[in-house]
Amino acid sequence: MNIAEMHSWFDILQDKGDSPYFTTDEKTQFLNRAQMKFVNEQLNKFLFSSGAQPEKNAVPYSNMESIQMGEDALGPLITLLQTNSDHVYTVLGHNNALTPALSQASTFNEKQLNHYVQGMLKVQNGVNYNASTWGKTKMISILSVTWAAQNDNVNIRYVRHQDLLKIEKNAFKNPTAQDPVYTQRISNENGRVWQVIPGTRPNNGGAGSSDISTLWDNAGTPHTFASIPSGNLNAVRLNITVVREPLEMNYDPQTFDVAPTVPNPNVSCELPDFTHDEIMAIALDDAGVASRDQALVQLNQASKSNITPQ
């Protein structure tokens, strides 16, 4: 269901419910609000219910393997970011301050990841959508972090900040280079800041040195790669899997094109088609047109009858 069809269905069910008239912009706002509500529901019911478990052993909970329903619904929003990627660093033209990579203190932050997400969306959707769409998108949460190795990625366990001191004093759970952890340290002007502990990468991916702090130019500015020998770049490379916000939908009836070949302001819902009825139902409920259940019944009946709005 594209954005034009969503607006048509909104009008149809609005007429059935004898509800007040809404402008195009108002309907788009209801749909975007409903989209975020749906995403948050899926995260809290499925993905986060697994990912928020406290640390219990060396084997981390796997969101994407254990909670298939969450991945099915939010698949387009699950994004792999590789820090210190040549593509991101050169093609997207990130400046040093925003290049996502470990600092001297083995930290990375939310501002870096948001800039990475927006840059990827720009490359993916630049032909179809204008900058106002991808430029507003941010990450929601981290699902997993690993050291990027050639054939043997090393998983980094998540530990809640309040549990870190306990595991550091536990000889069986104490973080090691082969079994590292990451935790949220603080929030500052760069958003949330995470730290990898210890700041030493298992030296199995071609890096001449694995001590993160020694790979930076201590006299210079963090996040500058000029002083890091090319053979050591792999030591500061992470694979970070995140859940990001969906693209904000937008509808301009005058420029809408089902298959655009040039950038325009129209943006349809990027979530799978099977989620669209639920998102529509939430929007209609918020607008006071119909209850969520009533809207779903109407949309399901139309789907069974193969009715397509004009």
Side-chain angles (χ1 to χ4, degrees):
M1 189 185 303
N2 60 45
I3 186 64
E5 291 171 336
M6 281 187 165
H7 273 255
S8 294
W9 276 120
F10 199 108
D11 291 338
I12 291 171
L13 296 182
Q14 180 178 258
D15 290 341
K16 283 180 174 289
D18 195 24
S19 298
Y21 172 79
F22 293 104
T23 66
T24 297
D25 287 344
E26 287 172 337
K27 288 180 284 187
T28 301
Q29 289 182 28
F30 280 123
L31 289 168
N32 279 313
R33 178 180 173 84
Q35 180 176 237
M36 280 306 305
K37 277 190 174 182
F38 175 80
V39 169
N40 287 329
E41 286 180 4
Q42 295 297 311
L43 287 174
N44 288 291
K45 286 181 180 178
F46 303 112
L47 290 182
F48 283 176
S49 63
S50 174
Q53 296 292 331
E55 178 61 27
K56 293 181 179 179
N57 52 52
V59 180
Y61 289 84
S62 174
N63 297 280
M64 290 181 287
E65 292 179 1
S66 62
I67 309 296
Q68 188 66 42
M69 291 180 65
E71 185 188 20
D72 289 344
L74 304 179
L77 309 183
I78 299 175
T79 305
L80 175 64
L81 312 177
Q82 186 176 79
T83 64
N84 193 29
S85 163
D86 294 335
H87 173 73
V88 174
Y89 187 55
T90 57
V91 178
L92 299 184
H94 284 0
N95 60 47
N96 291 333
L98 293 177
T99 301
L102 288 177
S103 70
Q104 292 172 326
S106 300
T107 63
F108 60 95
N109 63 60
E110 187 171 9
K111 185 177 182 180
Q112 294 170 329
L113 299 184
N114 286 340
H115 193 68
Y116 198 150
V117 165
Q118 293 162 6
M120 283 207 325
L121 290 174
K122 176 183 178 181
V123 172
Q124 292 174 359
N125 301 310
V127 174
N128 302 325
Y129 309 136
N130 61 21
S132 64
T133 298
W134 54 262
K136 297 178 181 179
T137 308
K138 300 178 181 179
M139 63 154 287
I140 298 174
S141 183
I142 294 175
L143 294 183
S144 67
V145 180
T146 63
W147 287 113
Q150 292 175 335
N151 298 309
D152 183 24
N153 283 6
V154 178
N155 194 81
I156 303 178
R157 295 179 288 142
Y158 172 71
V159 174
R160 296 180 302 182
H161 184 73
Q162 61 266 36
D163 293 333
L164 181 60
L165 184 60
K166 291 188 295 185
I167 74 162
E168 286 182 325
K169 292 183 178 180
N170 187 322
F172 297 101
K173 291 187 176 182
N174 189 37
T176 65
Q178 285 71 36
D179 187 22
V181 302
Y182 78 97
T183 189
Q184 183 178 334
R185 276 298 192 187
I186 56 173
S187 291
N188 58 23
E189 66 276 8
N190 292 316
R192 290 170 287 178
V193 178
W194 295 273
Q195 182 177 21
V196 176
I197 304 171
T200 304
R201 180 194 185 283
N203 194 0
N204 63 348
S209 173
S210 58
D211 184 355
I212 303 304
S213 62
T214 65
L215 299 179
W216 295 104
D217 180 2
N218 293 320
T221 304
H223 310 299
T224 300
F225 291 93
S227 61
I228 304 178
S230 59
N232 299 122
L233 286 175
N234 197 37
V236 294
R237 183 167 292 164
L238 295 176
N239 285 330
I240 304 175
T241 303
V242 304
V243 179
R244 62 171 174 82
E245 294 177 352
L247 288 167
E248 185 176 294
M249 290 184 280
N250 191 49
Y251 182 48
D252 180 357
Q254 301 302 317
T255 61
F256 177 77
D257 186 348
V258 176
T261 57
V262 295
N264 68 68
N266 293 279
V267 183
S268 296
C269 181
E270 62 175 327
L271 295 176
D273 285 345
F274 73 86
T275 69
H276 293 179
D277 282 358
E278 187 71 37
I279 292 171
M280 284 291 303
I282 297 173
L284 292 163
D285 191 7
D286 285 349
V289 173
S291 72
R292 195 163 170 173
D293 289 341
Q294 290 171 336
L296 277 174
V297 168
Q298 294 283 345
L299 289 165
N300 286 333
Q301 288 177 346
S303 178
K304 291 178 180 178
S305 302
N306 197 28
I307 298 175
T308 302
Q310 302 299 320

